[in-house]
Amino acid sequence: MTLFAAGYNGTIVPYSVDEHGKLSQISPGVQANSSGTWPSWIAYTSRHANPSPSSADKDALYAVNDLYSVDETAPGRIFSHTYDPTNGSIVQTGKNDAQRNNGTSSGGDGPVSCLVGHGPSKGLLFVANYNSGTAAVLAIDADGTLSEPKEVFQFTRPATQPKVGPVADRQDHSYAHQASISPSGRWVYVCDLGADQIHHLRIQEGKVEFTGSTHVKIGSGPRHITFHHDSGKTWAYLASELDNTVSAFAVDEASGNLNLIGQPILASPPGIPLSGDGILPTNRTTAEIAVVPAGDFLYVSNRGDTVQDHITIFQRNQLTGELSFVEWVQSGGRMPRHFSLSSDTGKDDQARWLVVGHQTDQNLVVFKRDVGSGRLTKVSERRDDVGQVAFAGFSPF
């Protein structure tokens, strides 16, 4: 299995994960600052292309692996690359030298998340721009390169709320923190931490339109949302950063509406303080969230401890969508900004591995996941290849 890590020192590095959970660096990857200075998210896709004109079999097709990294700067940029699994090389691509070297506009400032569409949204790349509070839509061309943004959606705080939210330094305007796609590919949802909203974008016949927003608890700061489909229904799970909670929703795929199930629950164990001694001034906050393919367990990363942070495990009721707390395990470092499950490779439906990237301690930690109980056991660790880790994602390559 292959995993890519990106860091705030400007590097992107590919790793292999063996059957024992050991991480091994495949190649030097993208060297510091050659694909932007802050590559904080990567999206993957594969396509088929014709061989070179000199090839003996001009009708043959070969697989090309594309990856797209956002550069969390102002103005924001996105870089396109191809990845060669035979030697681990990552090569920047572009229609010309300028695009290859400087990337493509992200349609805003501070891009922190991107995704490649599927189904009705196939051929599109969606980007969330944190600092400018925008979401952009870019077309992925046949050669894997990107066109300039075809749509940019500007979000604002609701007129019915005060100009500045309860957490003043994070809610003085819209901050688009993530774009996430529904299982059908018909809806993209943008988490707006600054406005306490989740914005809905509908994709229909190649067109993208804003249809409305789901309002969440004021001051909660929605950060990341993930989806799961089972029992003939689609469910969504939201990690709200500022109040350290997780919320469950039933998704109406026809209207795009998100209907809250019960009430948000804490991402930390009952009785554990959210602030005070041993906790950062920012308090405890959530970061990443994911559901395993079987739909029985959900994981969320928890930040704020001055010694070592945690991953929270919830069991999921597959009939009602409700969550119940299972365990809170140390993550192996501080500031677990991102993690991913090995099911993201498309080759491990049991999601036997979970890898966490820590921003403060600059390490990658591998956990083995017990499929029956959902519990995690730390098996390996690797440090200092990408500096402050922003992204640690299994890939289908």
Side-chain angles (χ1 to χ4, degrees):
M1 294 182 291
T2 305
L3 177 136
F4 290 85
Y8 283 131
N9 67 357
T11 59
I12 301 173
V13 175
Y15 298 90
S16 63
V17 184
D18 69 14
E19 66 273 18
H20 304 294
K22 180 183 177 182
L23 284 167
S24 299
Q25 186 171 336
I26 298 173
S27 75
V30 173
Q31 294 303 292
N33 303 325
S34 61
S35 285
T37 55
W38 288 54
S40 61
W41 198 271
I42 299 171
Y44 312 107
T45 188
S46 294
R47 58 189 164 88
H48 287 91
N50 290 311
S52 66
S54 60
S55 171
D57 187 357
K58 296 181 176 58
D59 294 325
L61 293 176
Y62 66 101
V64 178
N65 302 312
D66 295 307
L67 59 90
Y68 303 94
S69 62
V70 301
D71 183 18
E72 196 179 327
T73 56
R77 298 177 295 169
I78 307 171
F79 288 85
S80 58
H81 315 75
T82 57
Y83 174 71
D84 186 344
T86 63
N87 58 22
S89 65
I90 302 173
V91 178
Q92 288 172 225
T93 60
K95 296 179 176 63
N96 49 51
D97 287 344
Q99 187 183 45
R100 190 161 36 251
N101 296 328
N102 301 317
T104 305
S105 170
S106 70
D109 295 340
V112 289
S113 164
C114 65
L115 67 88
V116 174
H118 63 263
S121 53
K122 185 177 181 180
L124 299 177
L125 184 100
F126 297 84
V127 187
N129 293 292
Y130 181 76
N131 291 339
S132 58
T134 59
V137 185
L138 294 82
I140 301 173
D141 294 333
D143 62 358
T145 61
L146 299 171
S147 295
E148 292 296 311
K150 57 185 290 185
E151 297 273 2
V152 176
F153 298 91
Q154 176 68 64
F155 305 117
T156 59
R157 282 184 52 79
T160 55
Q161 291 186 22
K163 185 176 180 180
V164 178
V167 185
D169 61 336
R170 305 289 303 280
Q171 297 192 306
D172 55 334
H173 63 80
S174 280
Y175 289 96
H177 211 306
Q178 185 209 30
S180 187
I181 195 165
S182 70
S184 69
R186 290 196 298 266
W187 295 94
V188 166
Y189 295 87
V190 181
C191 293
D192 189 336
L193 184 145
D196 292 320
Q197 292 181 314
I198 305 165
H199 306 298
H200 312 172
L201 302 179
R202 179 170 59 194
I203 300 92
Q204 193 169 26
E205 297 179 354
K207 296 181 179 179
V208 183
E209 62 175 333
F210 169 73
T211 64
S213 305
T214 296
H215 296 259
V216 297
K217 180 183 175 184
I218 293 176
S220 61
R223 178 184 173 96
H224 282 187
I225 192 168
T226 190
F227 296 88
H228 184 75
H229 185 82
D230 63 9
S231 304
K233 300 177 182 178
T234 299
W235 315 86
Y237 295 90
L238 172 70
S240 292
E241 177 177 342
L242 301 181
D243 70 351
N244 198 49
T245 61
V246 177
S247 302
F249 299 87
V251 182
D252 185 329
E253 282 276 10
S255 67
N257 290 342
L258 302 176
N259 302 305
L260 183 65
I261 300 169
Q263 295 298 317
I265 58 177
L266 283 173
S268 50
I272 296 292
L274 300 181
S275 60
D277 293 342
I279 302 171
L280 296 175
T282 50
N283 300 337
R284 294 198 192 280
T285 60
T286 62
E288 184 59 299
I289 188 168
V291 182
V292 298
D296 48 355
F297 292 100
L298 176 144
Y299 299 82
V300 60
S301 59
N302 218 268
R303 304 172 298 177
D305 272 285
T306 56
V307 177
Q308 187 170 178
D309 281 311
H310 298 80
I311 301 293
T312 306
I313 307 168
F314 291 97
Q315 190 160 28
R316 178 178 169 273
N317 185 313
Q318 294 173 265
L319 295 178
T320 67
E322 294 173 302
L323 301 175
S324 55
F325 177 82
V326 174
E327 190 178 25
W328 201 46
V329 298
Q330 290 186 321
S331 64
R334 291 172 296 166
M335 203 60 64
R337 187 180 191 275
H338 189 249
F339 70 83
S340 67
L341 294 161
S342 54
S343 50
D344 292 342
T345 62
K347 304 167 187 175
D348 178 20
D349 287 344
Q350 292 188 319
R352 293 169 297 165
W353 305 99
L354 183 150
V355 176
V356 187
H358 293 96
Q359 187 173 341
T360 299
D361 282 343
Q362 304 184 20
N363 65 342
L364 297 167
V365 178
V366 182
F367 290 88
K368 186 172 184 178
R369 196 182 77 87
D370 185 283
V371 176
S373 69
R375 296 179 186 273
L376 301 173
T377 302
K378 179 181 174 181
V379 296
S380 70
E381 177 181 352
R382 188 178 179 108
R383 290 183 178 271
D384 294 332
D385 291 322
V386 296
Q388 294 182 332
V389 185
F391 178 90
F394 280 100
S395 89
F397 307 151

